[in-house]
Amino acid sequence: MSELFASMPANQAGRDFVVGDVHGCFTELRQLLEQVVFDGSRDRLFSVGDLVDRGPESRQVLEWLAKPWFYAVRGNHEQMALEFDLAQTDACERYLNNGGGWFICLDEKDKQAYRTAFLRLPLAMEVVSEHGLIGLLHADCPLDDWNLLRQQLALPTPWGEEGGKLLRQITWCRLRAKGMVRKPVVGVYMLCVGHTPQRQVRQIDNVWYLDTGGVYGRQLSMLQLDTMQTHSVNVADKGYGTDMLES
C-alpha cells in the first residue's frame, strides 16, 4: 500500500473509536477516553485529522502520534503546516488566521519535527470492522468511490495538478456537508470524516460527520465502531465563537 493510504486489520482484542477534529484540545480528549474506560492494551483510537491549530495544546500532538494505539489521517490543518512558507505572505496570513500561530512561532528545527510527523500521516485509511469496511479521511471522498480513491492514492508522487486537486478534495471539500446531493460512498460500509463542524454527530448518506465543534466551545465527540454509540465531552470556549457550526 502507498504511504498515502493505510489499511488496518480488525481489532480482535478490544474496541475501536473514531474521534472528530481535536484542534489542540487534548485535555478533553483524555477526558473522553476516561469516560469510556479506554484500555490502550486492547483498544484503538482513530482520528479523522485536524489534531492541531486553534486550541491551546497543539504542541502535544507529537506525544499523541507516538502512542501505539493511536492512528490518524491528515487533515487540512496538518497539510497547512506542511505547506507553510514564511516567505509567502498570503499563505502565512491564511495559516495564522486559521490558528497556526503556535506553529509559525516555532524555530525551524521544531517545525521540521512536526512536518516529519504530519508527512507520515496517510490521507485515507480503512479499518476492518464487524459491520464491514470503515473508511476514514478528513473531508470527503472524491467521486464517492472508495476503491477508486485507493487506486488513485497508490499512484506515484510527486503531486501534479490532478494530484493537487485530489489532495484538496480529500482535505477541504464541504459540498456534501453543505447540502449538495451526492451518492453514498461505494466500497465501504461507512465513511468517517470531520472538517465541517456540526451541532451533533450527523450522518449524510453513509458518511458520518464527527466534528462537533469542540474548539468552538461545544463538544468533542467520538464514535465507538462496534456499538455505533457516540461519546462526547463538553469543551470550554477557546474564544473562536460558534459561527463555523452547521445545523
Side-chain angles (χ1 to χ4, degrees), residues 189-216:
Y189 169 73
M190 62 181 288
L191 176 66
C192 294
V193 303
H195 189 52
T196 305
Q198 310 290 321
R199 296 193 180 276
Q200 59 187 6
V201 172
R202 179 186 183 194
Q203 181 183 358
I204 305 176
D205 302 318
N206 63 339
V207 180
W208 286 67
Y209 288 82
L210 304 183
D211 180 8
T212 50
V215 78
Y216 299 106

Side-chain angles (χ1 to χ4, degrees), residues 35-83:
Q35 181 186 117
V36 300
V37 194
F38 185 89
D39 182 349
S41 68
R42 302 183 305 112
D43 300 331
R44 300 185 298 191
L45 176 63
F46 297 91
S47 160
V48 293
D50 278 10
L51 291 165
V52 297
D53 299 344
R54 297 199 171 105
E57 299 167 338
S58 292
R59 295 191 185 199
Q60 294 183 19
V61 68
L62 296 184
E63 171 191 338
W64 282 82
L65 290 175
K67 296 181 185 297
W69 41 260
F70 185 62
Y71 306 88
V73 296
R74 193 187 312 173
N76 63 304
H77 282 261
E78 287 80 29
Q79 189 62 34
M80 280 193 285
L82 289 171
E83 296 173 352

